[in-house]
Amino acid sequence: MDKVKIGIIGCGNISSIYMKNLSTMFDITEVSACADIILENAVAKAKEFDIKKACCVEELLSDPDIKIVVNLTTPSSHFEVSMAALEAGKNVYVEKPLALTRQQGIEIINKAKEKGLLVGGAPDTFLGGGMQTCRKLIDDGWIGTPVAATAFMTCHGHESWHPAPDFYYKTGGGPMFDMGPYYLTALLSLMGPVANVSGMTKKTFPTRTITSKPHYGEIIDVDVATHVTGLLEFESGAIGTIITSFDVWGANLPFIEIYGSLGSLKVPDPNTFGGPILINLAGQSEWVEMPIAYGYTQNSRGVGVADMAYSLLSGRDHRANSDLTYHVLDIMHAIEDSSKEGKHIQLKSTLIRPAALPLGLIPGELDK
């Protein structure tokens, strides 16, 4: 099988797992270059993961062999870097969110269409064995017709562990834009598109004190909402509730639960690829753990990039596509708009649920 050459821009914390997986996990991908605004970071990553070339962004984008650029920059740079990659004729896979604003997201998508290129992005955890098994259980009718869902992500922020947590409290950060994409993408892959949104948001603490190194003791001014609650009306008629918060010290809440006419499904952490998966059918007194029917249960970040690579060779649709990433962006902004305007927001975007992975895949492959 011909390998699709990948260039990675942004050599921060998250880049390591992408470099490892795209170099070793998938038969179709090869990381041939990495770049960073600080060249030393790129050089260090290239050495660690045996990548042939570490360079500046401009040199990476001028490499004719690179077919997909993986944009792992901070959210404030997503638009600029993605547009530059598209202008250079590269397909783009961007870390979440797709962009800071709806308009930026639309411009990225339109540029890709103009150039005849693919664009999509994280998260790709919905392609993991846990979520794909949950989807099959729902599609096969185990819990009947989904009527409602809940999703919860609560913690007290990232300033206690992240080496550079500032951007989590700036535009493009906060619990919804940082972690919401995992939960929303999972819900959309399981239940389909959202039609209407309501929301309430709050910035609880005006500042945060960093207790991690190397910026221990520094003060962050908080510019975004840190407790966000949304109500989602799916096009199917089902109703969802999502809470994301950086203001909670402790909670006993599920990650995601789907409630159907014949039972309930407890979905695993959407920031992971495995289980456990629990089901409670009508008349049962106990939750029962279900076996995972698909592969990619370990940390498989990059599976969405590999899926894009397959689509370049076969012409089929890729799953972590622009309709999905933009619909997530639209929902997150709609929750904020609803809170500010005090009204329901009818979404203009929609999507067709990405195709499920086939059963029985060989490790390292995504197509039979």
Side-chain angles (χ1 to χ4, degrees):
M1 177 183 292
D2 293 334
K3 288 185 179 286
V4 175
K5 289 183 169 53
I6 310 294
I8 293 179
I9 299 177
C11 296
N13 269 10
I14 196 66
S15 67
S16 293
I17 192 63
Y18 278 95
M19 292 177 183
K20 176 185 176 183
N21 289 346
L22 292 171
S23 298
T24 63
M25 181 177 287
F26 307 106
D27 296 339
I28 198 171
T29 59
E30 174 189 336
V31 180
S32 59
C34 62
D36 193 273
I37 193 170
I38 302 172
L39 184 58
E40 291 82 359
N41 292 345
V43 171
K45 292 293 183 181
K47 182 178 180 181
E48 181 180 358
F49 294 99
D50 197 25
I51 297 169
K52 295 176 183 177
K53 181 166 62 176
C55 57
C56 66
V57 172
E58 292 75 17
E59 183 178 349
L60 186 150
L61 294 181
S62 66
D63 186 336
D65 292 331
I66 290 174
K67 302 304 179 185
I68 299 175
V69 165
V70 179
N71 180 358
L72 303 182
T73 59
T74 55
S76 62
S77 298
H78 283 183
F79 175 72
E80 179 184 359
V81 171
S82 293
M83 290 294 282
L86 292 167
E87 287 286 4
K90 311 300 183 187
N91 302 281
V92 172
Y93 183 95
V94 61
E95 250 300 332
K96 45 79 184 168
L98 173 64
L100 293 186
T101 68
R102 291 186 181 97
Q103 183 58 40
Q104 287 181 346
I106 290 170
E107 288 185 36
I108 288 171
I109 292 168
N110 287 343
K111 179 60 67 175
K113 290 178 180 177
E114 173 193 323
K115 295 281 189 176
L117 298 165
L118 299 180
V119 67
D124 54 9
T125 45
F126 75 99
L127 297 175
M131 287 298 166
Q132 288 294 301
T133 300
C134 288
R135 171 167 178 165
K136 184 164 178 56
L137 289 168
I138 292 172
D139 290 352
D140 287 353
W142 279 69
I143 62 169
T145 301
V147 297
T150 55
F152 302 103
M153 193 299 299
T154 60
C155 68
H156 212 269
H158 301 339
E159 63 272 20
S160 65
W161 62 269
H162 197 281
D166 301 59
F167 74 90
Y168 287 108
Y169 298 97
K170 306 301 179 184
T171 302
M176 179 55 74
F177 276 77
D178 175 47
M179 294 300 295
Y182 294 105
Y183 291 76
L184 291 171
T185 299
L187 288 171
L188 296 175
S189 71
L190 297 175
M191 301 182 65
V194 172
N196 296 288
V197 167
S198 298
M200 298 190 75
T201 69
K202 182 181 182 182
K203 181 173 72 174
T204 303
F205 306 105
T207 63
R208 298 281 181 138
T209 301
I210 300 175
T211 56
S212 60
K213 295 181 179 180
H215 298 285
Y216 182 90
E218 293 182 15
I219 304 297
I220 304 170
D221 290 323
V222 177
D223 297 337
V224 294
T226 51
H227 189 93
V228 180
T229 300
L231 295 176
L232 315 173
E233 181 185 6
F234 292 88
E235 288 186 12
S236 67
I239 301 296
T241 304
I242 182 169
I243 295 175
T244 64
S245 182
F246 285 168
D247 297 341
V248 176
W249 285 111
N252 289 312
L253 295 166
F255 295 109
I256 296 175
E257 289 183 348
I258 310 295
Y259 311 113
S261 58
L262 299 177
S264 299
L265 182 67
K266 192 180 293 289
V267 179
D269 183 350
N271 193 16
T272 64
F273 290 81
I277 300 164
L278 300 175
I279 198 164
N280 186 294
L281 301 179
Q284 287 183 341
S285 59
E286 303 289 339
W287 291 87
V288 176
E289 185 167 353
M290 301 297 289
I292 295 177
Y294 294 80
Y296 299 111
T297 57
Q298 70 276 49
N299 189 343
S300 302
R301 275 176 173 78
V303 64
V305 181
D307 190 61
M308 179 183 281
Y310 272 96
S311 72
L312 289 177
L313 297 185
S314 70
R316 69 160 172 78
D317 291 337
H318 65 115
R319 293 173 173 87
N321 57 48
S322 59
D323 286 348
L324 178 59
T325 51
Y326 182 78
H327 197 47
V328 169
L329 181 67
D330 194 16
I331 292 168
M332 294 191 297
H333 276 292
I335 291 172
E336 287 191 346
D337 293 344
S338 174
S339 181
K340 291 174 183 176
E341 299 172 20
K343 65 179 184 181
H344 297 303
I345 303 296
Q346 184 174 2
L347 297 178
K348 295 181 180 179
S349 66
T350 188
L351 57 81
I352 297 172
R353 278 203 305 166
L357 289 178
L359 284 167
L361 289 173
I362 298 170
E365 295 186 352
L366 293 168
D367 284 351
K368 287 189 175 181

